[in-house]
Amino acid sequence: MKFNTKTIHGGQKHDPAYGAVMPPIYQTSTYAQTTPGGHKGFEYSRTHNPTREALENAFASIENGKYGLAFGSGLAAIDAVIKLLQPGDEVISTNDIYGGSYRLFTKIFEGFGIKFHFVGMGNAANIENYVTKNTKLIWVETPTNPMMNIIDIKATAAIAKKYNILLAVDNTFATPYLQQPLDLGADIVMHSATKYIGGHSDLVMGALIVKDKDLADRLYFIQNASGAICGPQDSFLALRGIKTLHVRMQRHCENGKAVAEYLAAHPKIEKVYWPGFEDHPNYDIAKSQMSDYGGMISFVTKGNNYDEAIRIVEKLKIFTLAESLGGVESLSGHPASMTHASIPKEEREKTGVVDSLIRLSVGIEDEEDLINDLKQAIG
Ligand SMILES: *Cc1c(COP(=O)(O)O)cnc(C)c1O
């Protein structure tokens, strides 16, 4: 099955009870048994639920994995991965990661004796400098948020294999429509399904996908033992989202390209960060590991004026000023005052999050309306 067919049919079967084409929302915590242990494969919904199971099968299918696991949020999924580790273990992570991942690693798991190295991975060879005998996991996010840096998954996987380290890739920004990390050698793919997978800004959810049975069993154990699962209603919504992922992503990419090119040609814009530009520092890697470049774009205005950036995001009408990304509707964000406000100015500026940086999640509206909106807001 090819990707577009998988989004609709991958891992799915019609409901055995009445042949429902979409899996029903099994809004139940428990299941009747005829005799102790006499059940139909479902005992308690923290452990298994038919709607969640249909979704988990879909996750596995679209990422070319064998096993999928759904969680109550992206961070709950990351939390489960780190729980594979023991005190004394070390993790090498991208330095330019989602703020919530950074908070989970440093404020929760460092307290349990796990050591994190946050390193630049623009050149994957740099990772090897931080490998010790205790390194158990490499954590990669590509493209990164909000600077749209690209990390070479294949080269990172080669290092991970050489030292027998697990490689996990946060594939939230790219989605499997653009990039399939398991095929490039990663062991674990993670998603905030809140974003493109759900796609309609109506749920919060996380996912893990793996190929290896032993790794899957360890993660299922953690999922059940820690209990950070998602409910049947959200599972249904995410499954519905997946069925249009390919169509949405195609439009996100088309609109993203149009918006990136419009901004790059605008006399008031200093720089546009988007991996589809040939002058992006890792364009060659983006081109080889992604099938297109997505709808996430960041840009800075000439003069780098904080107040001007605020004025632009306030003036945008179709681009809603909001946290999050990946929905059908276009969103704007001002990292310096929103997602990255808690990071000291000198620190955030080191990674490029300057005062005038604006991040766009380009939706699937009409391209002309999006460009006209930017035109009236930027002036
Ligand atoms: C949003 C996000 C997360 C966290 O996911 P939640 O669903 O909000 O818990 C992790 N990684 C990336 C790249 C994200 O954008």
Side-chain angles (χ1 to χ4, degrees), residues 73-75 98 141 170 172-173 190 192 194-195 204-205 325:
S73 69
L75 284 171
Y98 177 72
E141 192 180 307
D170 181 336
T172 301
F173 268 40
M190 174 263 153
S192 169
T194 313
K195 317 292 169 57
V204 173
M205 185 186 286
L325 60 109

Side-chain angles (χ1 to χ4, degrees), residues 18-39:
Y18 300 107
V21 168
M22 273 304 278
I25 302 169
Y26 281 97
Q27 192 74 45
T28 186
S29 60
T30 191
Y31 306 83
Q33 307 192 8
T34 49
T35 180
H39 55 74

